[in-house]
Amino acid sequence: MTFRTPALALGLLAAATAASGTAQDQSTQGVQDELVMTLNDGADDPDALTFDWPMLSIGTGQYEAGPTGVTVIRFGRKVHGAVDVRGGGPGTVNAPYLDLGYVQPELDAVVLAGGSWYGLEAVTAVNTAMKDDGYRGGHWNNVGLAVGSIIYDFGGRRLNEIYPDKRLAQAAYRAARPGVFPVGPYGAGRSAMTGGLFGCNARSGQGAAFRQIGEVKIAVFTVVNALGVVTDRDGKVVACHAGSGWPEDLAAHELLNASPASLRPDWDGERAAEPERKNTTISLVVTNRSMSSAELKRLAVQVHTSMARGIQPFATELDGDVLYAVSTGEVESGPGDGLVTAEIGAVASELMWDAILSSVPEQPSAPSPRQARDTTPDLQSFVGTYRFSPLASLEVTAEGGRLFGQATGERDIFAIRKGEPVELQPSGPSQFVIPGRYPFSVRFEGDKIVVNPGRWQQVGMRP
């Protein structure tokens, strides 16, 4: 069941914090409890992956006011799992348990979430939901087991610190359904980004792919929030807000060969946003082929290693890359089945590259500034201080027939930096832009300001 968030709800955090003042600055839990959630958004999109595998059910939940979210993959019964950790800053719950290699199947669900370490609450929330719903209990052989990992989706990509919490995770778990996985900026990938190492700062999301060979089914799922760039099979960078002096048909090896110069924000002589220094790609490969713990571990290592082709560089000290491998055990292995673990791993590795590419959404853009200003409305109607969260406020002033913005909170408002008033150039009756490397526009709607209207918009309120 899908609950779509009204546009007004996008300003909930700003409105609540503006009304409650200092007390709200100390805690956002009250705001979290009031956030409108969206469940299984994107499942009806034509790009969503659809597949026939009743053993797997997928549920996604999002707080559009973040935006941030969670993705839950449930299994129809307890299954075997393994994990491979590559990144230098992973965030996981219960993952080390899978490395113990017990012979009995124990895993119920894999949870992927935004919100950095705060989002790990989503993993334990799914576990308690199984207990609260009576699906699992307290007997030693019926205790629920969910494992999961998080991505970092705070920092410069949004102006608040909303995270996917227990309420959202349990709703996503209960909304899970088989056969469909939304790709792009949904679920845990709602505010994912890639290419921060080079200042690309491209929007990303979650991806998936599926293949069946005879009776053997293989599915892969990933949330791509990498420090490196997503690379296609021709070696080209798939998404990047490139600098003005960069090659038109940018190849990943051109960025890598130019390092360390290409790692500097001013490499092309144009000031870029400071790169995000906390990133992660979290992934899952599932097969119905029966596998031992040792085989699953090799599968995890093989597929995880292959991902360095589609993300460059991969598994840096600033990434928290984790991959889970799961066998549902529906098809028994044997000498005559024609698929050994390495061959399943080869298929899954190509599928994972497909999944990485499917995670990349259409990139945001901004309109061009308008030359004539004679139809611009009364600028004084836009003047005021707009609050996005306890961390971020924007002061708008008018002078000499021009509009200016200045960040006055703890955080920059993207292209509007603290202590640096910048002109907002008109592009429409109530829309203004700041030209530059990264798309930036604002739209005024009464006492509301919408920054970068669209899929990743941030909403501020004027008292």
Side-chain angles (χ1 to χ4, degrees):
M1 187 173 184
T2 302
F3 300 89
R4 297 195 179 273
T5 306
L8 184 60
L10 295 172
L12 177 61
L13 177 66
T17 55
S20 55
T22 304
Q24 182 61 41
D25 290 355
Q26 304 302 317
S27 171
T28 60
Q29 185 56 57
V31 173
Q32 286 272 156
D33 292 341
E34 297 297 326
L35 292 173
V36 178
M37 68 178 69
T38 303
L39 300 178
N40 292 337
D41 194 23
D44 298 328
D45 288 359
D47 292 336
L49 175 71
T50 57
F51 58 99
D52 180 19
W53 197 347
M55 181 64 75
L56 275 63
S57 295
I58 294 95
T60 63
Q62 298 162 183
Y63 285 144
E64 293 297 336
T68 190
V70 61
T71 300
V72 179
I73 300 97
R74 296 175 52 180
F75 306 107
R77 61 169 180 255
K78 284 188 173 292
V79 296
H80 291 281
V83 64
D84 184 58
V85 179
R86 291 295 176 95
T92 67
V93 169
N94 291 333
Y97 183 78
L98 299 181
D99 271 336
L100 298 179
Y102 290 119
V103 296
Q104 68 270 26
E106 295 191 78
L107 183 62
D108 288 297
V110 174
V111 183
L112 311 175
S116 191
W117 280 335
Y118 307 111
L120 290 175
E121 175 180 312
V123 186
T124 57
V126 167
N127 219 41
T128 54
M130 290 189 284
K131 170 68 170 62
D132 295 343
D133 293 354
Y135 178 67
R136 293 294 175 217
H139 195 270
W140 67 270
N141 64 355
N142 191 38
V143 174
L145 176 62
V147 301
S149 297
I150 45 84
I151 68 166
Y152 180 85
D153 62 358
F154 291 132
R157 67 192 72 188
R158 52 192 179 98
L159 305 176
N160 59 73
E161 292 179 345
I162 294 172
Y163 63 95
D165 55 11
K166 176 178 180 178
R167 185 171 69 103
L168 184 66
Q170 292 190 338
Y173 164 80
R174 291 170 178 140
R177 59 178 179 171
V180 60
F181 187 96
V183 299
Y186 299 105
R190 188 63 185 82
S191 278
M193 296 185 76
T194 62
L197 184 64
F198 306 104
C200 288
N201 297 351
R203 291 292 178 175
S204 188
Q206 62 181 18
F210 172 81
R211 184 178 175 188
Q212 182 167 351
I213 305 169
E215 292 184 308
V216 176
K217 297 179 179 182
I218 305 168
V220 298
F221 311 99
T222 185
V223 179
V224 183
N225 190 57
L227 190 66
V229 292
V230 172
T231 308
D232 67 18
R233 287 181 169 87
D234 294 321
K236 304 299 183 182
V237 175
V238 176
C240 178
H241 293 296
S244 56
W246 292 18
E248 287 188 16
D249 200 11
L250 185 64
H253 76 83
E254 292 175 298
L255 290 174
L256 294 168
N257 286 341
S259 62
S262 59
L263 308 182
R264 297 198 303 263
D266 59 347
W267 176 43
D268 61 350
E270 177 182 0
R271 181 177 179 183
E274 290 296 325
E276 296 285 352
R277 292 297 189 184
K278 288 184 181 292
N279 294 82
T280 295
T281 297
I282 47 181
S283 310
L284 167 67
V285 54
V286 188
T287 179
N288 64 347
R289 161 74 181 274
S290 179
M291 286 189 177
S292 67
S293 294
E295 289 174 316
L296 278 174
K297 182 68 175 183
R298 284 302 98 199
L299 178 64
V301 170
Q302 181 178 348
V303 177
H304 214 187
T305 301
S306 78
M307 293 176 70
R309 301 177 300 168
I311 301 172
Q312 299 185 32
F314 184 64
T316 73
E317 65 172 325
L318 303 172
D319 288 287
D321 303 328
V322 178
L323 182 142
Y324 298 95
V326 165
S327 167
T328 60
E330 298 166 89
V331 176
E332 289 298 323
S333 62
D337 65 5
L339 284 175
V340 299
T341 303
E343 292 168 337
I344 292 176
V347 173
S349 295
E350 283 302 296
L351 288 175
M352 188 60 79
W353 204 341
D354 290 337
I356 291 169
L357 294 174
S358 75
S359 72
V360 182
E362 181 179 352
Q363 297 300 301
S365 60
S368 300
R370 188 177 59 194
Q371 297 300 319
R373 305 191 184 194
D374 53 345
T375 59
T376 300
D378 178 17
L379 297 182
Q380 291 297 326
S381 65
F382 304 138
V383 169
T385 299
Y386 298 82
R387 197 167 192 229
F388 296 86
S389 74
L391 301 170
S393 297
L394 174 63
E395 183 180 357
V396 177
T397 58
E399 182 179 350
R402 298 189 298 171
L403 204 64
F404 296 87
Q406 179 176 333
T408 56
E410 298 178 21
R411 187 168 295 178
D412 293 338
I413 310 295
F414 306 115
I416 303 177
R417 296 182 169 88
K418 295 181 295 181
E420 297 181 18
V422 61
E423 183 180 1
L424 303 176
Q425 301 181 30
S427 63
S430 59
Q431 187 150 328
F432 298 77
V433 299
I434 300 176
R437 178 173 174 178
Y438 305 101
F440 182 90
S441 65
V442 299
R443 185 177 67 227
F444 293 93
E445 302 175 1
D447 288 326
K448 180 168 69 175
I449 187 172
V450 183
V451 174
N452 296 331
R455 188 68 177 145
W456 298 277
Q457 66 188 26
Q458 300 283 275
V459 177
M461 301 298 295
R462 180 175 59 181

